Amino acid sequence: MSVQSKPNIQLPSGAIRPIVILISGSGSNMRSLVETAEREDWAERLKAQVVAVISNRPDAKGLDWARSAGLITQVLDHRGFDSREAFDAALMRLIDGHQPALVLLAGFMRILTPDFVEHYQGRLINIHPSVLPAFPGLHTHRRALEAGCGFAGATVHQVTAALDHGPILAQAVVPVLPGDTEQTLAQRVLSQEHRIYPQAVAAWLQSH
Ligand code: GAR
């Protein structure tokens, strides 16, 4: 049911606050978080370190990079569970094995149960590819184009029981350009996601 690769790094002991990242796909936000944490020496400066990456999809591309970066990777395939509740309960057990101070959703494409959200209340953060509260849910770029928006963007927010709501920690805005497709717009937004997600997490760590 769950598959785990061995880490090839020594985790610092003591006061380091573990961070767990959840992904479902390419994991570019995960990579940006991990690389920023390294570059800015979060372990020393913010007493925090990304320790594990968990995916609900065995074929998530981001897992390869996470493994090569020496992170613990774990897969919990949601298709092996009868209910959302059962999957989330197993996921909580997996996450809690790392005793995380912070759980980061980075393209984790699952609707979370209220129990899960409550369990991590105050230490669960998400990035969403729209300027919330506009366009919660899926296909944000397509919907922004269809609506004729002049701007699109991304939001880092604390997770609450309501889908894609919760206190906003950071936002970025990009222009919608003539001839944009879903893909070109998504790429422009994504490059901003890679900037604001690590910034917002660093700010959260600084203030907690
Ligand atoms: C990102 O654009 C992220 O904002 C979005 O999925 C993409 C994941 O890309 N998340 C959601 O839509 C969550 N509702 P990545 O795997 O390369 O980080």
Side-chain angles (χ1 to χ4, degrees):
M1 182 157 52
S2 106
V3 183
Q4 181 166 339
S5 75
K6 292 227 172 65
N8 59 20
I9 49 166
Q10 287 287 313
L11 298 179
S13 61
I16 296 289
R17 295 175 290 176
I19 299 174
V20 171
I21 302 181
L22 307 188
I23 66 168
S24 298
S26 58
S28 68
N29 276 292
M30 166 208 67
R31 183 172 175 164
S32 167
L33 287 159
V34 171
E35 288 180 340
T36 305
E38 280 294 312
R39 195 175 59 246
E40 297 181 349
D41 200 2
W42 287 6
E44 180 58 32
R45 289 184 38 251
L46 299 171
K47 300 292 175 226
Q49 181 166 356
V50 177
V51 295
V53 173
I54 301 175
S55 173
N56 64 310
R57 293 196 170 274
D59 58 350
K61 286 218 178 66
L63 287 170
D64 294 336
W65 185 86
R67 280 187 204 109
S68 72
L71 295 162
I72 294 172
T73 59
Q74 293 168 307
V75 173
L76 190 67
D77 193 333
H78 62 278
R79 293 168 299 188
F81 292 84
D82 289 340
S83 67
R84 201 171 280 286
E85 285 71 21
F87 172 76
D88 277 11
L91 183 58
M92 277 190 257
R93 285 194 292 277
L94 211 53
I95 295 171
D96 288 348
H98 304 287
Q99 299 185 295
L102 202 50
V103 178
L104 304 177
L105 308 178
F108 188 62
M109 304 306 280
R110 297 274 311 166
I111 292 175
L112 301 166
T113 56
D115 277 0
F116 184 97
V117 172
E118 192 183 330
H119 185 71
Y120 297 107
Q121 198 176 13
R123 54 189 175 122
L124 183 60
I125 297 178
N126 181 43
I127 188 155
H128 182 75
S130 79
V131 186
L132 291 173
F135 306 123
L138 296 174
H139 309 302
T140 53
H141 304 305
R142 186 191 313 167
R143 288 155 66 204
L145 289 170
E146 282 170 2
C149 292
F151 296 91
T155 303
V156 181
H157 66 99
Q158 297 216 25
V159 177
T160 59
L163 179 71
D164 298 328
H165 278 74
I168 290 172
L169 302 176
Q171 286 185 311
V173 169
V174 301
V176 176
L177 300 177
D180 258 345
T181 63
E182 254 186 88
Q183 287 70 31
T184 57
L185 184 55
Q187 201 48 51
R188 193 173 309 121
V189 171
L190 199 57
S191 68
Q192 294 304 310
E193 295 185 37
H194 297 162
R195 184 177 62 80
I196 62 170
Y197 206 0
Q199 261 180 15
V201 172
W204 187 95
L205 290 166
Q206 204 121 42
S207 64
H208 284 76

